[in-house]
Amino acid sequence: MKAYRLLLLLAPLALLHQQSAGKKIKQSLKIEKTSKTSKKDPGYADNISHRLPADSVCTIVISAGDTVDFNPASIRLSGYDKPVNARKESFLITNESPLAITGASLKITYRDMKGRMLHSRTASLKCNVPPGETRKTEISSWDTQNSFYYYLSSEPRKIAAPYKVEIQPAAFFVSY
């Protein structure tokens, strides 16, 4: 009987010890996880990124005697899509410049099929588009109630209004 009572008294202590060991393991995993996520992605050159206006050609001095011309016209935005139920809008960024694109600031205007403005906003996005390549990128949709669809997207089964979009780059972030 005494051995049984002793086991009943020690069992909660053993469970308490196991739970505290489990918490320590979870805490150490959390610490490792945050330290891993704090490392910079080698593909995203955040530390040497420079903001360039999207309305003028400029020459960048890379090192003594080395220069690169950046022409915003060498960056193309295409393939916009937003079906009625989508939470994100997607499009392609094609980089035909000699510099890697690491982000963009875009002025986006949404219009109904008669040309009346529905909404306008400025969106900033991070991306990694090396020179000579194309990448798909996404931004959160302005249409939070899923009432609109891009007129070139597939026509939805439910009643929704089509719209057109104008995307005007305000600035590009580049790395070299």
Side-chain angles (χ1 to χ4, degrees):
M1 186 74 172
K2 288 183 182 181
Y4 182 69
R5 243 189 246 159
L6 183 60
L7 181 62
L8 286 177
L9 289 174
L10 292 177
L13 290 175
L15 288 174
L16 183 63
H17 177 71
Q18 288 176 350
Q19 288 175 350
S20 65
K23 285 181 183 176
K24 287 180 186 176
I25 290 171
K26 285 181 184 176
Q27 287 174 348
S28 67
L29 289 175
K30 285 181 185 174
I31 292 169
E32 286 179 31
K33 185 176 181 182
T34 55
S35 65
K36 285 181 183 175
T37 56
S38 66
K39 292 180 182 176
K40 295 287 182 193
D41 178 10
Y44 182 72
D46 176 74
N47 54 345
I48 55 171
S49 191
H50 301 279
R51 184 180 192 277
L52 299 177
D55 59 354
S56 61
V57 177
C58 59
T59 301
I60 301 169
V61 178
I62 296 176
S63 62
D66 288 337
T67 61
V68 173
D69 290 332
F70 177 75
N71 185 354
S74 62
I75 311 299
R76 286 186 297 118
L77 304 174
S78 61
Y80 179 88
D81 189 37
K82 193 263 179 208
V84 71
N85 290 327
R87 298 267 185 232
K88 296 195 178 277
E89 301 168 32
S90 64
F91 53 92
L92 303 170
I93 299 178
T94 302
N95 181 7
E96 295 173 351
S97 79
L99 304 170
I101 304 298
T102 57
S105 177
L106 308 170
K107 171 100 167 100
I108 307 172
T109 305
Y110 304 90
R111 299 188 182 275
D112 68 6
M113 299 310 287
K114 292 183 180 179
R116 296 175 296 208
M117 183 187 295
L118 297 169
H119 185 69
S120 179
R121 68 176 174 152
T122 301
S124 296
L125 62 99
K126 287 185 177 181
C127 58
N128 182 16
V129 187
E133 295 191 19
T134 300
R135 295 284 189 270
K136 179 181 175 184
T137 189
E138 295 179 332
I139 55 174
S140 296
S141 178
W142 66 282
D143 178 23
T144 56
Q145 296 181 355
N146 296 335
S147 311
F148 296 91
Y149 69 97
Y150 182 57
Y151 80 107
L152 293 177
S153 296
S154 58
E155 195 165 329
R157 293 181 190 182
K158 72 178 199 175
I159 297 174
Y163 70 90
K164 293 182 178 182
V165 66
E166 298 168 7
I167 302 177
Q168 197 67 19
F172 292 108
F173 295 88
V174 298
S175 67
Y176 49 89

